């Protein structure tokens, strides 16, 4: 995975240290005028200059080792030579990633390590030769060399020519004094020579050099785009490996979430309904003992027990509703979300526009998401009204909860919104929170659409 970090790729783009006032004045200049002396431009130019000698070394090493290994394949010696060559290419790739990070600000993650089924030299050689990462590093060393030659030639030629011409008025006196000619020779044959020696020609030369100097950083930047693609595409982890890592992380989130839900259910049952049922059994036992001696007291105790039964049943209904309510299974999101909205402490308008019911798993996550968001509205928002909208766009199920409360909600502060975002991410969903201070708060969730 390749990322570019920070403004100007994470560095101060001006030349040298500047005070705050000088820095403000510097950044008021147009980017085209700043580019030739910006630190970023100098780093990119340095990257292209270093690419040639490094490319020569890496290309020579790769071609030599692969040719030698291929030639020795008629014996067993070719296998370790090929494996050593590929391992060397992986090491050179690590150097290239470090160079790209330091000079281009391109942060490329290290690819997946070797997966050896057997320990020992044979296992290592087999894993190296079977690894697609190793062969992609070899491909990089082969492709990078011709590109490095071209980019080095273009960048150095333009850079040197531009600065030479733009400074020509400063050093043109060298020609008549030491070279025995009137100035920089523009054209010459056996009978005629043209020199840049009068003020007009010197001025035009400097202006051409200025245009070339201003254009060179942008050409260099365009050249480094190819290097970014090569480094990011061949030296980083493959898309498949990245996806596997994401799925493993999402699986961990799902497992942790399921375990947390089970602990919550167990705690709610133990502290709520179970405790009430134990107390109910004790009260009914006492009422049974008093039934013959004091019927009125026994009747009162039975009546109290009846109230406890109703409370316990309500707690069980609430617990079941929090897991997966029957109304969601029977009648879908519209009815289930309307039921949740009716229990909210503020008036909630629900609008569900779906052509069909999504898969039960997606439907359950959507219900849970809206329930959590409406609980936040009730507990924290101090709102007077809220709206819930559910619709489908292509292959995405969209949910949006809006309230007119005090705002300030933040999903990055480890709150319940962060846990909700983790749940959605586990199924390739997205949670976006827009909650400025003083409100309103707009929370949008996206889920993948899968039909029932």
């Amino acid at each position: 995975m390749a990322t570019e970090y920070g403004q100007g790729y994470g560095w101060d783009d001006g030349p040298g240290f500047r005070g705050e006032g000088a820095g403000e004045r510097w950044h008021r200049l147009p980017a085209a005028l700043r580019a030739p002396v910006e630190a970023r431009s100098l780093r990119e130019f340095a990257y292209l200059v270093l690419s040639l000698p490094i490319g020569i070394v890496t290309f020579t090493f790769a071609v030599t080792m692969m040719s030698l290994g291929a030639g020795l394949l008629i014996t067993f010696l070719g296998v370790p030579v090929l494996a050593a060559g590929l391992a060397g290419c992986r090491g050179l790739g690590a150097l290239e990633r470090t160079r790209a990070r330091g000079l281009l600000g391109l942060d490329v993650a290290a690819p997946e390590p070797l997966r050896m089924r057997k320990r020992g030299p044979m296992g290592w050689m087999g894993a190296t030769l079977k690894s697609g990462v190793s062969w992609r590093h070899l491909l990089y060393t082969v492709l990078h060399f011709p590109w490095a030659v071209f980019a080095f030639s273009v960048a150095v030629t333009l850079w040197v020519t531009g600065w030479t011409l733009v400074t020509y008025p400063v050093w043109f006196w060298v020609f008549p004094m030491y070279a025995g000619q009137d100035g920089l020779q523009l054209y010459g044959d056996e009978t005629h020579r043209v020199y840049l020696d009068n003020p007009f020609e010197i001025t035009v030369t400097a202006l051409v050099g200025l245009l070339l100097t201003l254009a060179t950083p942008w050409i260099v930047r365009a050249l480094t785009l190819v290097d970014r693609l090569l480094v990011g595409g061949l030296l980083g982890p493959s898309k498949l490996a990245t996806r596997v890592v994401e799925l493993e992380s999402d699986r961990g989130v799902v497992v942790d979430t399921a375990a947390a839900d089970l602990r919550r259910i167990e705690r709610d049952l133990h502290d709520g309904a179970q405790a009430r049922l134990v107390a109910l059994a004790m009260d009914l036992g006492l009422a049974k003992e008093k039934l013959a001696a004091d019927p009125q007291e026994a009747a009162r105790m039975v009546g109290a027990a009846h109230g406890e039964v109703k409370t316990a049943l309500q707690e069980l209904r609430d617990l079941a509703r929090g897991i997966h309510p029957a109304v969601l299974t029977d009648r879908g999101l519209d009815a289930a979300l309307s039921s949740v909205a009716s229990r909210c402490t503020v008036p909630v308008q629900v609008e569900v526009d779906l052509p069909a019911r999504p898969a039960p798993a997606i439907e359950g996550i959507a219900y849970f998401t809206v329930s959590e968001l409406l609980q936040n509205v009730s507990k924290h928002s101090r709102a007077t009204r809220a709206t819930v909208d559910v619709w489908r766009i292509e292959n995405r199920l969209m949910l949006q909860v809006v309230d007119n409360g005090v705002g300030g909600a933040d999903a990055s502060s480890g709150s319940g919104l962060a846990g909700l975002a983790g749940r959605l991410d586990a199924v390739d969903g997205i949670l976006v929170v827009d909650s400025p201070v003083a409100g309103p708060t707009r929370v949008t969730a996206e889920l993948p659409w899968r039909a029932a």
Side-chain angles (χ1 to χ4, degrees):
M1 181 181 295
T3 58
E4 294 175 354
Y5 47 86
Q7 184 178 5
Y9 301 118
W11 299 293
D12 179 12
D13 287 337
F17 175 79
R18 298 184 300 273
E20 182 178 356
E24 291 179 358
R25 289 193 297 271
W26 171 259
H27 287 289
R28 290 196 190 103
L29 291 175
L33 298 179
R34 299 196 314 264
V37 291
E38 278 184 336
R40 174 184 173 183
S41 299
L42 298 176
R43 282 187 291 268
E44 291 173 338
F45 178 69
Y47 183 90
L48 295 182
V49 171
L50 291 175
S51 290
L52 181 59
I54 293 176
I56 293 174
V57 173
T58 57
F59 181 82
T60 303
F61 171 82
V63 171
T64 301
M65 294 297 291
M66 292 302 105
S67 301
L68 180 61
L72 291 175
L73 279 179
I74 56 175
T75 67
F76 179 75
L77 292 177
V79 176
V81 172
L82 285 176
L86 291 174
C89 289
R90 289 179 71 117
L92 294 172
L95 173 64
E96 286 294 275
R97 289 194 299 272
T98 302
R99 189 166 69 96
R101 184 180 302 112
L103 295 177
L104 298 183
L106 182 68
D107 191 7
V108 180
E112 58 273 17
L114 292 176
R115 298 181 180 271
M116 294 188 294
R117 295 183 178 180
K118 299 180 180 179
R119 296 185 179 274
M122 295 299 297
W124 174 80
M125 286 187 290
T128 303
L129 292 172
K130 293 178 181 178
S131 172
V133 173
S134 302
W135 293 101
R136 284 194 286 115
H137 279 65
L138 173 63
L139 180 61
Y140 174 84
T141 61
V142 174
L143 295 179
H144 181 252
F145 172 65
W147 171 252
V149 173
F150 172 77
F152 175 90
S153 303
V154 173
V156 172
T157 300
L158 291 177
W159 201 283
V160 172
T161 303
W163 282 104
T164 299
L165 295 181
V166 78
T167 58
Y168 184 60
V170 178
W171 58 270
F172 80 97
W173 53 268
V174 171
F175 290 97
M177 182 170 294
Y178 296 103
Q181 62 186 46
D182 296 334
L184 185 66
Q185 183 173 326
L186 182 64
Y187 171 80
D189 54 26
E190 295 180 355
T191 60
H192 184 66
R193 291 180 176 84
V194 176
Y195 297 101
L196 303 174
D197 54 357
N198 61 59
F200 174 76
E201 293 173 344
I202 293 173
T203 302
V204 171
T205 301
L207 290 176
V208 172
L210 178 61
L211 293 177
L212 193 58
T213 301
L214 294 177
T216 297
W218 304 102
I219 298 175
V220 168
R221 194 159 299 172
L223 293 174
T224 59
L225 288 177
V226 178
D227 289 275
R228 296 175 193 276
L229 293 176
L230 287 174
V231 174
L234 296 177
L235 300 185
S238 64
K239 293 182 178 180
L240 178 60
T242 302
R243 182 59 178 162
V244 168
V245 172
E246 291 177 354
L247 291 176
E248 289 178 348
S249 176
D250 292 344
R251 182 182 63 184
V253 172
V254 170
V255 171
D256 293 341
T257 300
D261 288 341
L262 288 175
R263 289 193 298 270
R264 177 181 59 83
I265 294 170
E266 189 276 335
R267 184 179 61 251
D268 292 344
L269 285 174
H270 182 272
D271 298 340
Q274 181 179 342
R276 290 189 180 278
L277 291 175
V278 170
L280 174 62
M282 295 176 62
D283 290 341
L284 289 177
L286 293 174
K288 181 180 178 181
E289 294 177 358
K290 290 181 175 291
L291 184 60
D294 190 354
Q296 293 184 350
E297 179 65 18
R300 185 192 65 78
M301 295 179 68
V302 170
H306 183 257
E308 288 294 321
V309 170
K310 291 182 178 180
T311 303
L313 287 175
Q314 184 61 42
E315 290 181 355
L316 289 174
R317 290 193 190 98
D318 293 339
L319 181 61
R321 191 183 295 113
I323 300 172
H324 195 91
V327 65
L328 178 62
T329 303
D330 297 337
R331 300 174 57 190
L333 272 177
D334 195 355
L337 295 182
S338 297
S339 176
V340 172
S342 65
R343 297 192 301 272
C344 189
T345 58
V346 301
V348 180
Q349 179 181 353
V350 178
E351 183 72 28
V352 178
D353 183 13
L354 295 177
R357 292 184 63 174
I362 299 299
E363 196 173 53
I365 295 174
Y367 171 83
F368 176 83
T369 300
V370 175
S371 298
E372 288 288 309
L373 294 176
L374 289 181
Q375 285 185 23
N376 288 341
V377 172
S378 299
K379 295 177 181 178
H380 309 297
S381 70
R382 288 182 274 173
T384 58
R385 64 180 183 276
T387 60
V388 175
D389 292 303
V390 182
W391 71 99
R392 176 187 174 184
I393 297 180
E394 297 179 353
N395 62 340
R396 305 293 285 180
L397 175 63
M398 308 295 296
L399 315 170
Q400 190 173 83
V401 177
V402 182
D403 68 73
N404 64 343
V406 296
D410 185 7
S412 62
S413 59
S415 62
L417 288 175
L420 191 58
R423 289 183 180 230
L424 294 178
D425 185 64
V427 293
D428 289 336
I430 301 173
L431 185 73
V432 179
V433 180
D434 179 18
S435 182
V437 177
T441 296
R442 184 184 305 271
V443 182
T444 305
E446 291 186 25
L447 288 168
W449 174 272
R450 291 196 293 270

